[in-house]
Amino acid sequence: MLDRDGFRPNVGIILLNQKNQVFWGKRIRTHSWQFPQGGIDRGETPEQAMFRELHEEVGLHPNHVRLVARTRDWLRYEVPDRYIRRDARGHYKGQKQIWYLLQLLGHDWDLNLRATNHPEFDAWRWNDYWVPLDVVVEFKRGVYEMALTELARFLPRNEQRNRYLRSGMRTRDGEHAGSAMFRTGSLLVNPGMELPPGASFDPDPQGSRPMGLEGLPAPSPLDASSTNDGPPPAK
């Protein structure tokens, strides 16, 4: 479903925990990290699409979250031609998105990446509010920054993060911000712990190398070929 300008209606989700850290999901079978997002189906309102995508991608229901705010209008980005299917070129231009800021009222264990038979993510982690901008694919970075900037004023004042915090900055004890704990599926992983058989793990998307994990491959910036772009039915 495209509008007359060639943009597909879409919703994006910024999910906060009690520390105002944001949910950051790893696209299944890739090293690409992003916020949950997805297309608006015909007949759906943006809010209905947001709650549907929240369940399909993260496994949460409306009672697990509080809707804090949304962007006032559509935020648009164009997809470079090389990432658009050949049969869609000329009429598909990109995405227009309404972004929602949600506060998690439940617990970490309420998150379920296998809520459907077609999971979008295979790992997740909590990240500082502004850090994801450094690893977003370039053509999406402007929309991410606009959404985070517009919605940042709704964060509790005593919990707001410094918007200039980046992966190169370190906390007082020398750790990269947000790098102390990691998620793989529903497992909380401490960098020194041995993973159980069958578990997968990707290091900090900011590029820090936790002790004992130097041999693992470093994740690349978001893979544009799998970032929920393209005409229907791709997200």
Side-chain angles (χ1 to χ4, degrees):
M1 182 176 67
L2 304 177
D3 68 12
R4 62 183 180 181
D5 297 317
F7 289 89
R8 184 187 183 206
N10 191 283
V11 292
I13 299 171
I14 302 172
L15 177 65
L16 301 171
N17 65 9
Q18 297 304 315
K19 297 179 181 179
N20 279 358
Q21 295 172 315
V22 295
F23 174 94
W24 199 227
K26 188 179 81 64
R27 294 280 296 174
I28 192 165
R29 294 184 294 277
T30 75
H31 292 294
S32 303
W33 294 76
Q34 68 174 61
F35 291 130
Q37 70 173 68
I40 300 174
D41 292 338
R42 190 176 300 277
E44 277 188 323
T45 65
E47 185 170 320
Q48 289 171 337
M50 180 272 293
F51 280 119
R52 176 179 54 75
E53 291 290 339
L54 182 70
H55 176 67
E56 290 178 0
E57 297 196 0
V58 186
L60 297 179
H61 295 282
N63 62 293
H64 289 130
V65 298
R66 178 173 68 91
L67 202 168
V68 179
R70 52 156 281 179
T71 54
R72 293 183 296 273
D73 204 350
W74 299 101
L75 304 180
R76 292 173 171 81
Y77 66 83
E78 295 187 12
V79 178
D81 284 345
R82 65 184 180 275
Y83 300 128
I84 300 175
R85 290 202 315 256
R86 187 173 302 175
D87 61 347
R89 293 174 185 173
H91 57 87
Y92 172 75
K93 186 173 288 187
Q95 303 269 15
K96 65 176 186 179
Q97 299 178 313
I98 296 291
W99 282 85
Y100 289 86
L101 182 67
L102 305 179
Q103 180 87 52
L104 179 65
L105 300 179
H107 304 280
D108 284 7
W109 56 77
D110 291 320
L111 293 158
N112 178 13
L113 304 185
R114 298 294 183 270
T116 71
N117 293 326
H118 304 285
E120 297 287 339
F121 303 121
D122 60 14
W124 67 275
R125 69 190 304 268
W126 293 115
N127 222 335
D128 285 290
Y129 188 80
W130 290 103
V131 171
L133 290 179
D134 289 330
V135 291
V136 176
V137 68
E138 186 176 359
F139 66 83
K140 278 188 172 185
R141 197 170 297 160
V143 163
Y144 269 53
E145 185 166 13
M146 285 189 289
L148 288 166
T149 300
E150 181 175 345
L151 297 173
R153 65 191 181 95
F154 296 100
L155 297 173
R157 290 183 181 179
N158 62 346
E159 291 285 279
Q160 283 200 26
R161 302 293 177 184
N162 185 337
R163 67 168 297 168
Y164 299 105
L165 179 64
R166 290 294 183 265
S167 59
M169 298 180 63
R170 295 177 181 271
T171 58
R172 188 175 305 171
D173 61 1
E175 294 287 340
H176 273 75
S179 66
M181 304 297 281
F182 301 86
R183 290 275 168 180
T184 174
S186 61
L187 300 173
L188 183 63
V189 179
N190 197 308
M193 291 177 60
E194 182 179 357
L195 294 176
S200 60
F201 177 77
D202 282 288
D204 186 348
Q206 278 70 259
S208 62
R209 311 298 290 167
M211 184 178 300
L213 296 175
E214 292 83 354
L216 292 177
S220 59
L222 291 184
D223 179 1
S225 65
S226 61
T227 54
N228 283 343
D229 290 310
K235 289 188 176 181

